[in-house]
Amino acid sequence: MSDEKLLHVEVVYALPQEQRVFKAIVTPDMHVEDIIRHSGVLDAYPEIDLKKNKVGVFSRLVKLDALVHDGDRIEIYRPLVADPKEIRRRRAERAKLEGNADPVTGGKVNPLRKAE
């Protein structure tokens, strides 16, 4: 097969302490799941479960049967440990209690506002 019919893609998996990039040369008819298996990332990280972990191409979620283009980066996402909305809500509540936030608006305290 000629080199111009092959695609050069990357498969990325990031942990809190490291990020690994696996480069792969694949045929245009290979799906995302096939490319992930071909890349060797599943051998290096056996905790990855493609039935549970979401995958994307350049930060856009895709299904495992999607096709990719030359130069694409396939990303394997880890599940969230905490809900970001819940963390922001707790931080805002704590700021209100500590007096670092306006009790009415929840924003920064306005030094020009009259105290009641």
Side-chain angles (χ1 to χ4, degrees), residues 6-24:
L6 296 176
L7 304 178
H8 295 78
V9 297
E10 296 178 339
V11 178
V12 177
Y13 184 62
L15 295 170
Q17 64 276 13
E18 71 173 316
Q19 175 181 332
R20 291 279 308 270
V21 178
F22 296 81
K23 297 184 184 282

mmCIF file of all heavy atoms in Angstrom, residues 6-24:
data_model
loop_
_atom_site.group_PDB
_atom_site.id
_atom_site.type_symbol
_atom_site.label_atom_id
_atom_site.label_comp_id
_atom_site.label_asym_id
_atom_site.label_seq_id
_atom_site.Cartn_x
_atom_site.Cartn_y
_atom_site.Cartn_z
ATOM 1 N N LEU A 6 -2.210 6.214 3.616
ATOM 2 C CA LEU A 6 -2.196 5.966 5.058
ATOM 3 C C LEU A 6 -2.416 7.267 5.823
ATOM 4 O O LEU A 6 -2.073 8.347 5.351
ATOM 5 C CB LEU A 6 -0.862 5.348 5.474
ATOM 6 C CG LEU A 6 -0.565 3.964 4.898
ATOM 7 C CD1 LEU A 6 0.815 3.511 5.315
ATOM 8 C CD2 LEU A 6 -1.606 2.959 5.322
ATOM 9 N N LEU A 7 -3.007 7.139 6.999
ATOM 10 C CA LEU A 7 -3.255 8.288 7.862
ATOM 11 C C LEU A 7 -2.299 8.262 9.047
ATOM 12 O O LEU A 7 -2.050 7.203 9.618
ATOM 13 C CB LEU A 7 -4.692 8.275 8.379
ATOM 14 C CG LEU A 7 -5.815 8.216 7.346
ATOM 15 C CD1 LEU A 7 -7.166 8.171 8.046
ATOM 16 C CD2 LEU A 7 -5.752 9.396 6.405
ATOM 17 N N HIS A 8 -1.800 9.407 9.411
ATOM 18 C CA HIS A 8 -0.951 9.537 10.600
ATOM 19 C C HIS A 8 -1.805 10.175 11.690
ATOM 20 O O HIS A 8 -2.229 11.326 11.556
ATOM 21 C CB HIS A 8 0.266 10.404 10.298
ATOM 22 C CG HIS A 8 1.183 9.792 9.291
ATOM 23 N ND1 HIS A 8 0.928 9.813 7.938
ATOM 24 C CD2 HIS A 8 2.347 9.129 9.444
ATOM 25 C CE1 HIS A 8 1.897 9.186 7.305
ATOM 26 N NE2 HIS A 8 2.776 8.765 8.189
ATOM 27 N N VAL A 9 -2.061 9.431 12.758
ATOM 28 C CA VAL A 9 -2.897 9.912 13.854
ATOM 29 C C VAL A 9 -2.175 9.687 15.177
ATOM 30 O O VAL A 9 -1.197 8.948 15.253
ATOM 31 C CB VAL A 9 -4.281 9.212 13.883
ATOM 32 C CG1 VAL A 9 -5.069 9.516 12.628
ATOM 33 C CG2 VAL A 9 -4.138 7.724 14.076
ATOM 34 N N GLU A 10 -2.687 10.351 16.217
ATOM 35 C CA GLU A 10 -2.163 10.176 17.565
ATOM 36 C C GLU A 10 -3.291 9.718 18.472
ATOM 37 O O GLU A 10 -4.435 10.126 18.306
ATOM 38 C CB GLU A 10 -1.608 11.495 18.113
ATOM 39 C CG GLU A 10 -0.424 12.025 17.366
ATOM 40 C CD GLU A 10 0.044 13.352 17.914
ATOM 41 O OE1 GLU A 10 -0.745 14.053 18.589
ATOM 42 O OE2 GLU A 10 1.207 13.705 17.668
ATOM 43 N N VAL A 11 -2.955 8.865 19.434
ATOM 44 C CA VAL A 11 -3.886 8.453 20.477
ATOM 45 C C VAL A 11 -3.307 8.956 21.787
ATOM 46 O O VAL A 11 -2.151 8.675 22.109
ATOM 47 C CB VAL A 11 -4.073 6.922 20.510
ATOM 48 C CG1 VAL A 11 -5.008 6.520 21.635
ATOM 49 C CG2 VAL A 11 -4.604 6.423 19.171
ATOM 50 N N VAL A 12 -4.103 9.730 22.537
ATOM 51 C CA VAL A 12 -3.611 10.390 23.744
ATOM 52 C C VAL A 12 -4.396 9.888 24.950
ATOM 53 O O VAL A 12 -5.624 9.775 24.902
ATOM 54 C CB VAL A 12 -3.771 11.923 23.623
ATOM 55 C CG1 VAL A 12 -3.321 12.607 24.894
ATOM 56 C CG2 VAL A 12 -3.009 12.440 22.434
ATOM 57 N N TYR A 13 -3.662 9.607 26.027
ATOM 58 C CA TYR A 13 -4.284 9.256 27.299
ATOM 59 C C TYR A 13 -3.540 10.020 28.371
ATOM 60 O O TYR A 13 -2.308 9.945 28.463
ATOM 61 C CB TYR A 13 -4.215 7.758 27.551
ATOM 62 C CG TYR A 13 -4.931 7.325 28.807
ATOM 63 C CD1 TYR A 13 -6.297 7.515 28.952
ATOM 64 C CD2 TYR A 13 -4.245 6.729 29.851
ATOM 65 C CE1 TYR A 13 -6.959 7.111 30.099
ATOM 66 C CE2 TYR A 13 -4.900 6.317 31.000
ATOM 67 C CZ TYR A 13 -6.255 6.515 31.113
ATOM 68 O OH TYR A 13 -6.917 6.120 32.248
ATOM 69 N N ALA A 14 -4.280 10.781 29.181
ATOM 70 C CA ALA A 14 -3.647 11.625 30.197
ATOM 71 C C ALA A 14 -4.066 11.188 31.586
ATOM 72 O O ALA A 14 -5.239 10.969 31.856
ATOM 73 C CB ALA A 14 -4.021 13.081 29.975
ATOM 74 N N LEU A 15 -3.081 11.074 32.447
ATOM 75 C CA LEU A 15 -3.282 10.830 33.876
ATOM 76 C C LEU A 15 -2.872 12.105 34.607
ATOM 77 O O LEU A 15 -2.237 12.984 34.017
ATOM 78 C CB LEU A 15 -2.414 9.645 34.322
ATOM 79 C CG LEU A 15 -2.785 8.299 33.703
ATOM 80 C CD1 LEU A 15 -1.718 7.270 34.021
ATOM 81 C CD2 LEU A 15 -4.128 7.838 34.213
ATOM 82 N N PRO A 16 -3.214 12.238 35.884
ATOM 83 C CA PRO A 16 -2.824 13.464 36.599
ATOM 84 C C PRO A 16 -1.322 13.737 36.573
ATOM 85 O O PRO A 16 -0.900 14.881 36.494
ATOM 86 C CB PRO A 16 -3.305 13.209 38.028
ATOM 87 C CG PRO A 16 -4.397 12.218 37.892
ATOM 88 C CD PRO A 16 -4.034 11.359 36.713
ATOM 89 N N GLN A 17 -0.502 12.701 36.596
ATOM 90 C CA GLN A 17 0.940 12.894 36.666
ATOM 91 C C GLN A 17 1.663 12.727 35.327
ATOM 92 O O GLN A 17 2.844 13.028 35.237
ATOM 93 C CB GLN A 17 1.556 11.954 37.708
ATOM 94 C CG GLN A 17 1.427 10.483 37.384
ATOM 95 C CD GLN A 17 0.106 9.844 37.789
ATOM 96 O OE1 GLN A 17 -0.855 10.528 38.116
ATOM 97 N NE2 GLN A 17 0.040 8.535 37.741
ATOM 98 N N GLU A 18 0.972 12.254 34.299
ATOM 99 C CA GLU A 18 1.635 12.059 33.011
ATOM 100 C C GLU A 18 0.637 12.070 31.859
ATOM 101 O O GLU A 18 -0.548 11.827 32.048
ATOM 102 C CB GLU A 18 2.420 10.743 32.983
ATOM 103 C CG GLU A 18 1.541 9.509 32.941
ATOM 104 C CD GLU A 18 2.309 8.226 32.740
ATOM 105 O OE1 GLU A 18 3.211 8.177 31.893
ATOM 106 O OE2 GLU A 18 1.991 7.258 33.441
ATOM 107 N N GLN A 19 1.155 12.367 30.686
ATOM 108 C CA GLN A 19 0.368 12.295 29.457
ATOM 109 C C GLN A 19 1.171 11.495 28.454
ATOM 110 O O GLN A 19 2.344 11.753 28.240
ATOM 111 C CB GLN A 19 0.098 13.695 28.900
ATOM 112 C CG GLN A 19 -0.611 13.659 27.574
ATOM 113 C CD GLN A 19 -0.850 15.046 27.003
ATOM 114 O OE1 GLN A 19 -0.968 16.006 27.723
ATOM 115 N NE2 GLN A 19 -0.904 15.130 25.700
ATOM 116 N N ARG A 20 0.518 10.511 27.838
ATOM 117 C CA ARG A 20 1.204 9.679 26.855
ATOM 118 C C ARG A 20 0.567 9.889 25.494
ATOM 119 O O ARG A 20 -0.654 9.935 25.366
ATOM 120 C CB ARG A 20 1.090 8.201 27.232
ATOM 121 C CG ARG A 20 1.856 7.772 28.460
ATOM 122 C CD ARG A 20 3.336 7.504 28.213
ATOM 123 N NE ARG A 20 3.619 6.603 27.129
ATOM 124 C CZ ARG A 20 3.735 5.282 27.242
ATOM 125 N NH1 ARG A 20 3.576 4.700 28.395
ATOM 126 N NH2 ARG A 20 4.024 4.557 26.187
ATOM 127 N N VAL A 21 1.411 9.980 24.490
ATOM 128 C CA VAL A 21 0.969 10.116 23.109
ATOM 129 C C VAL A 21 1.485 8.909 22.347
ATOM 130 O O VAL A 21 2.684 8.633 22.332
ATOM 131 C CB VAL A 21 1.514 11.419 22.477
ATOM 132 C CG1 VAL A 21 1.096 11.515 21.025
ATOM 133 C CG2 VAL A 21 1.058 12.629 23.264
ATOM 134 N N PHE A 22 0.560 8.187 21.726
ATOM 135 C CA PHE A 22 0.892 7.024 20.915
ATOM 136 C C PHE A 22 0.658 7.400 19.458
ATOM 137 O O PHE A 22 -0.456 7.745 19.080
ATOM 138 C CB PHE A 22 0.016 5.827 21.288
ATOM 139 C CG PHE A 22 0.219 5.332 22.687
ATOM 140 C CD1 PHE A 22 -0.392 5.963 23.755
ATOM 141 C CD2 PHE A 22 1.033 4.241 22.932
ATOM 142 C CE1 PHE A 22 -0.207 5.516 25.049
ATOM 143 C CE2 PHE A 22 1.231 3.787 24.223
ATOM 144 C CZ PHE A 22 0.609 4.425 25.289
ATOM 145 N N LYS A 23 1.689 7.351 18.649
ATOM 146 C CA LYS A 23 1.547 7.674 17.227
ATOM 147 C C LYS A 23 1.206 6.393 16.474
ATOM 148 O O LYS A 23 1.741 5.331 16.778
ATOM 149 C CB LYS A 23 2.824 8.298 16.694
ATOM 150 C CG LYS A 23 3.133 9.627 17.369
ATOM 151 C CD LYS A 23 4.350 10.273 16.767
ATOM 152 C CE LYS A 23 4.718 11.532 17.497
ATOM 153 N NZ LYS A 23 3.926 12.670 17.193
ATOM 154 N N ALA A 24 0.310 6.527 15.495
ATOM 155 C CA ALA A 24 -0.111 5.359 14.726
ATOM 156 C C ALA A 24 -0.261 5.735 13.258
ATOM 157 O O ALA A 24 -0.673 6.849 12.929
ATOM 158 C CB ALA A 24 -1.430 4.815 15.262
#
